């Protein structure tokens, strides 16, 4: 019932956002314009950032908030005010930094991906979606003014980290944890997290990122460490994009999705899993692991 209620709130909020967001954008700018057309002007870029922020808050943030309030308390239900050890915050930051090469290496290169002929329609959709997304972010991040950079961090790193963690970890992992094995809760939450991003090439990358964030929440018993880790991952990705577009880094990395090579990525994976194990041991010793009566 808790899961069904959460997805019901998601449906309601998604429907509401589908009506409210175009109305807001239409009042600020020509709502009929395609994203790539909007992003050719500073005003259009600002409106697009507002659209991203408002959509994320309406869809993920409001649905999780309604669920938390309705089921017995926003902070308590979503894991925001549970006691935890302060050391989980720097550990979470370290884990997501170490995991970054491994997570990036799991992105499927567009050039090496070929599906059977019967799935050519899906493959073409995946390619076009990925191409369109890169075009949008290249235009959006191509403005290097201080205001634009701040707006990009809010729209890409800060707001998504908060509202997506509220929904996918606070609500989804927390609700599944009440009725299932904690590892099942973490991986189902990670699967849904990856699917809802609708970017096929990054499916496995987001699956493991979602799992890592889920385990940070599970072991800390508090949502804030995973919010911090999610923010840092998005901020690192955004910073690399900005530096590449400015010419500080080789622009070729934008085509390779920051691939670090398998040697570095395997080392990254081994150290990440070791740190997660130590993280879990601390949670057991300090009795912080997420649990429900």
């Amino acid at each position: 019932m808790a899961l069904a209620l959460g997805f019901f709130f998601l449906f309601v909020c998604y429907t509401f956002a589908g009506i409210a967001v175009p109305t807001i954008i239409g009042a600020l700018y020509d709502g009929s314009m395609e994203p790539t057309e909007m992003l050719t002007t500073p005003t259009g870029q600002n409106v697009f950032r507002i659209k991203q922020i408002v959509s994320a808050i309406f869809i993920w943030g409001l649905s999780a908030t309604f669920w938390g309030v309705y089921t017995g308390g926003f902070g308590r239900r979503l894991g925001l005010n549970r006691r935890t050890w302060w050391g989980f915050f720097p550990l979470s930051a370290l884990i997501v930094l170490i995991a970054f090469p491994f997570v990036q290496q799991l992105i499927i290169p567009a050039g090496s991906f070929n599906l059977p002929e019967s799935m050519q329609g899906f493959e073409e959709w995946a390619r076009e979606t990925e191409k369109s997304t890169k075009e949008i972010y290249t235009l959006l991040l191509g403005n290097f003014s201080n205001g634009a950079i701040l707006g990009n961090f809010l729209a890409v790193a800060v707001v998504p980290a908060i509202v997506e963690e509220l929904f996918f970890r606070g609500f989804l992992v927390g609700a599944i944890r009440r009725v299932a094995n904690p590892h099942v809760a973490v991986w189902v939450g990670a699967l849904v997290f990856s699917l809802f991003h609708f970017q096929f090439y990054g499916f496995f990358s987001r699956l493991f990122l979602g799992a890592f964030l889920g385990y940070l929440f599970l072991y800390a018993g508090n949502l804030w460490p995973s919010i911090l880790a999610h923010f840092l991952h998005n901020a690192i990705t955004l910073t690399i994009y900005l530096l590449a577009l400015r010419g500080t880094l080789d622009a070729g990395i934008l085509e390779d999705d920051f691939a670090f090579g398998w040697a570095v990525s395997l080392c990254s994976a081994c150290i990440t899993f070791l740190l997660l194990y130590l993280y879990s041991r601390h949670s057991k010793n300090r009795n912080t692991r997420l649990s429900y009566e």
Side-chain angles (χ1 to χ4, degrees), residues 12-32:
V12 171
C13 291
Y14 182 84
T15 303
F16 174 70
I19 299 171
V21 173
T23 303
I24 294 172
I25 300 307
L28 298 173
Y29 208 69
D30 183 1
S32 64

Side-chain angles (χ1 to χ4, degrees), residues 115-122:
L115 289 174
E117 188 174 345
S118 60
M119 300 182 69
Q120 286 302 303
F122 176 79

Side-chain angles (χ1 to χ4, degrees), residues 63-82:
S63 57
T65 299
F66 288 154
W67 179 84
V69 172
Y70 189 84
T71 57
F74 172 72
R76 183 173 67 87
R77 283 292 189 178
L78 295 172
L80 291 169
N81 58 9
R82 293 174 181 270

Side-chain angles (χ1 to χ4, degrees), residues 149-192:
I149 292 173
L150 176 60
N152 289 334
F153 269 91
L154 284 172
V156 177
V158 178
V159 173
I162 296 172
V163 298
E164 289 181 9
E165 288 308 298
L166 284 174
F167 184 85
F168 291 105
R169 254 60 67 179
F171 153 64
L172 188 56
V173 172
I176 297 174
R177 175 65 186 92
R178 288 174 167 83
V179 295
N181 180 281
H183 300 290
V184 171
V186 167
W187 284 97
V188 170
L191 177 63
V192 177

Side-chain angles (χ1 to χ4, degrees), residues 21-208:
V21 173
T23 303
I24 294 172
I25 300 307
L28 298 173
Y29 208 69
D30 183 1
S32 64
M33 298 182 75
E34 293 294 325
T36 50
E37 190 178 359
M38 286 180 61
L39 295 173
T40 56
T41 66
T43 301
Q45 292 171 1
N46 288 332
V47 173
F48 186 83
R49 294 184 190 102
I50 293 171
K51 176 183 177 182
Q52 295 295 100
I53 291 171
V54 173
S55 295
I57 292 173
F58 279 9
I59 295 171
W60 308 119
L62 279 183
S63 57
T65 299
F66 288 154
W67 179 84
V69 172
Y70 189 84
T71 57
F74 172 72
R76 183 173 67 87
R77 283 292 189 178
L78 295 172
L80 291 169
N81 58 9
R82 293 174 181 270
R83 285 192 173 185
T84 194
W85 177 49
W86 68 266
F88 285 135
F89 290 91
L91 271 175
S92 297
L94 179 61
I95 287 171
V96 80
L97 290 172
I98 296 295
F100 190 79
F102 173 61
V103 170
Q104 290 300 128
Q105 193 66 32
L106 292 175
I107 296 176
I108 303 171
S112 64
F113 184 72
N114 292 289
L115 289 174
E117 188 174 345
S118 60
M119 300 182 69
Q120 286 302 303
F122 176 79
E123 182 177 346
E124 185 63 27
W125 169 82
R127 288 183 190 277
E128 287 303 316
T129 301
E130 195 73 18
K131 180 182 177 181
S132 175
T133 301
K134 284 195 173 183
E135 288 178 355
I136 288 171
Y137 277 99
T138 299
L139 289 169
L140 183 67
L141 304 181
N143 185 339
F144 304 122
S145 68
N146 292 334
I149 292 173
L150 176 60
N152 289 334
F153 269 91
L154 284 172
V156 177
V158 178
V159 173
I162 296 172
V163 298
E164 289 181 9
E165 288 308 298
L166 284 174
F167 184 85
F168 291 105
R169 254 60 67 179
F171 153 64
L172 188 56
V173 172
I176 297 174
R177 175 65 186 92
R178 288 174 167 83
V179 295
N181 180 281
H183 300 290
V184 171
V186 167
W187 284 97
V188 170
L191 177 63
V192 177
F193 171 70
S194 187
L195 287 172
F196 269 69
H197 276 81
F198 296 106
Q199 288 182 302
F200 183 77
Y201 294 160
F203 173 80
F204 292 106
S205 174
R206 286 191 176 83
L207 177 68
F208 275 85

